[in-house]
């Protein structure tokens, strides 16, 4: 009652959307990923720093290199997903501040000059954007299967560099047969929200 | 073209939604917050750990105590917002694993037994949920003003305890006069997405 978002959209993005564990063979195109990005890029981050980076794992060779860094229970679903994305935080995101925050370009050095400070904030802001991305995948009528059961240090070494902190791997596609585990319970409102 | 989400919903959640800097006097009720939570609680987290905690700052006295921990440029907007929420990560979230992950309750100790490991994952998963929450605020027809320009250590000492890592403060309400700065540019697709 208190929401203005259409119930169909509520279902698509949250209520019926689920982490898929199997997928159909239907391809996920670059056009779909571009449409997802063009929607979710507007989600807010600290000073619009936008540190999320997305590595699409498309070649069979790269897929094989990725799978070996996943915990065993996750290998099969990633091997079979139509598209897999590695989401990471760019700890040198501040280099883009003059483009992203044009009314205060000096923030690049004045606010974000220290690497240790950036390494603390970039992953948290990239995690916000990872959530926007998951919502965007669902907005495209696809299922997302985000996984942190991954040897992230191994993924970094294999696919990224010292400037990029990997956050998760996301399987993307149309849900296949037996895609869902039963929905797990959530915390009650009173377990999460307190008032002062 | 590639999205199935209704364009009105796209606008509500991403394209037209903006970080508000002023608000009307219209109250934000507990019923609205409950409706937001009941939607976004379904967003995925690692093993459904759901570490986000929300502290609603409702009393004038608590509001005053919070404002003094904000960077100067953020104080006025938080002083005037109809509702303010402190979002934090519960580093002892694993205590709820038997409720949240009933088919593998042993994960509480087997996976999440080490505090240092939880302190790494809880803020990242809570950040995912913070993003779901921001989307949920927008789904309720309200504007969110998330801020990390905050003395977070001060907020922790003032409102939380050693088990809770504060992530951000969010102003919530109907946008008021002059609520928006001009929209800042976003990164191009090719600056964010690479393919291997």
């Amino acid at each position: 009652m208190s929401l203005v978002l259409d119930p169909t959209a509520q279902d698509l993005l949250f209520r019926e959307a689920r982490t898929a564990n199997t997928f159909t063979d239907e391809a996920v195109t670059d056009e779909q990923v571009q449409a997802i990005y063009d929607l979710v890029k507007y989600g807010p981050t600290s000073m619009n720093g936008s540190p999320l980076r997305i590595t699409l794992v498309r070649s069979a060779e790269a897929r094989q290199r990725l799978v070996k860094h996943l915990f065993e229970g996750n290998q099969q679903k990633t091997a079979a997903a139509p598209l897999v994305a590695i989401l990471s935080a760019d700890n040198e995101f501040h280099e883009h501040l003059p483009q992203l925050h044009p009314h205060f370009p000096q923030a690049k050095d004045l606010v974000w000059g220290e690497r240790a400070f950036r390494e603390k904030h970039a992953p948290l802001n990239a995690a916000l954007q990872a959530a926007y991305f998951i919502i965007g995948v669902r907005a495209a009528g696809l299922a997302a299967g985000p996984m942190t059961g991954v040897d992230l240090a191994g993924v970094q070494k294999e696919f990224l560099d010292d400037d990029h902190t990997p956050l998760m791997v996301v399987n993307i596609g149309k849900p296949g047969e037996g895609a869902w585990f039963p929905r797990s319970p959530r915390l009650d409102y009173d377990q999460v929200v307190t008032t002062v």
Side-chain angles (χ1 to χ4, degrees), chain A residues 73-188:
Chain A
N74 287 329
Q75 292 188 350
Q76 184 48 44
K77 40 192 178 185
T78 292
L83 180 62
V84 182
I86 300 166
L87 305 189
S88 64
D90 181 359
N91 294 312
E92 299 295 305
F93 69 93
H94 68 310
E95 296 294 342
H96 298 290
L97 253 280
Q99 174 187 351
L100 294 170
H101 212 250
H103 53 288
F104 181 35
Q106 307 91 317
K108 170 180 176 298
D109 300 308
L110 291 180
V111 178
W112 302 108
E114 282 179 38
R115 169 83 177 207
F117 186 70
R118 296 196 303 274
E119 282 181 357
K120 189 172 150 59
H121 283 270
L124 287 170
N125 278 288
L128 294 178
Q129 292 185 282
Y132 305 143
F133 180 77
I134 291 167
I135 300 290
V137 167
R138 293 167 167 192
L142 300 167
M147 300 177 299
T148 54
V150 178
D151 169 13
L152 290 171
V155 168
Q156 180 173 23
K157 211 167 167 184
E158 188 86 42
F159 291 98
L160 307 172
D161 60 27
D162 285 350
D163 291 337
H164 293 78
T165 303
L167 299 178
M168 66 182 72
V169 173
V170 186
N171 302 319
I172 303 171
K174 285 263 167 75
E177 225 170 298
W180 323 122
F181 295 133
R183 168 82 88 185
S184 292
R186 261 53 178 180
L187 294 174
D188 299 330

